Amino acid sequence: MSAVNLAETAVGLPEAWNSLELGRVGPARVKVLRMDELPVGSESHGAAEALLVLDGRLELEVAGMPVSVRAGELYMVAAGAEHAVRPGSGGTLVIVELAQE
């Protein structure tokens, strides 16, 4: 596999918040997506997930508390934690999570 320009890949996606799986590392999936300013409903997962903001910012609510993740920052969402995207996000996000088969 050749190098992937994550920002260009995210910009080229047809819709915000719809991720593209780039590959797998063991049981984990590595995905990229384009964020927009719209909120996204609450969800939780059986395993922790890593959220890496490449550019822009990610506005979350985690377990009822607001969390801002800036460009260059990594946020780990604990397994089972309810989290939702608050209005005002934008940019490029990389997600690393266990594959759900």
Side-chain angles (χ1 to χ4, degrees), residues 15-17 22-23 32 41 43 45 52 56 58-59 67 84 91 96 100:
E15 293 182 43
W17 300 109
L22 301 171
V32 66
E43 61 183 20
H45 310 282
L52 173 62
L58 173 61
E59 297 294 337
V67 175
V96 180
Q100 305 285 319

Side-chain angles (χ1 to χ4, degrees), residues 19-91:
S19 63
L20 172 68
E21 183 175 317
L22 301 171
R24 294 188 180 207
V25 179
R29 298 187 305 175
V30 179
K31 305 186 306 183
V32 66
L33 60 79
R34 175 173 46 88
M35 300 182 284
D36 68 9
E37 70 282 349
L38 299 177
V40 177
S42 184
E43 61 183 20
S44 66
H45 310 282
E49 69 178 339
L51 306 175
L52 173 62
V53 177
L54 296 182
D55 59 73
R57 73 173 191 233
L58 173 61
E59 297 294 337
L60 293 172
E61 183 172 304
V62 181
M65 299 297 295
V67 175
S68 292
V69 187
R70 306 269 184 240
E73 294 180 338
L74 173 73
Y75 185 80
M76 298 294 297
V77 179
E82 287 287 328
H83 57 288
V85 176
R86 297 182 297 135
S89 299

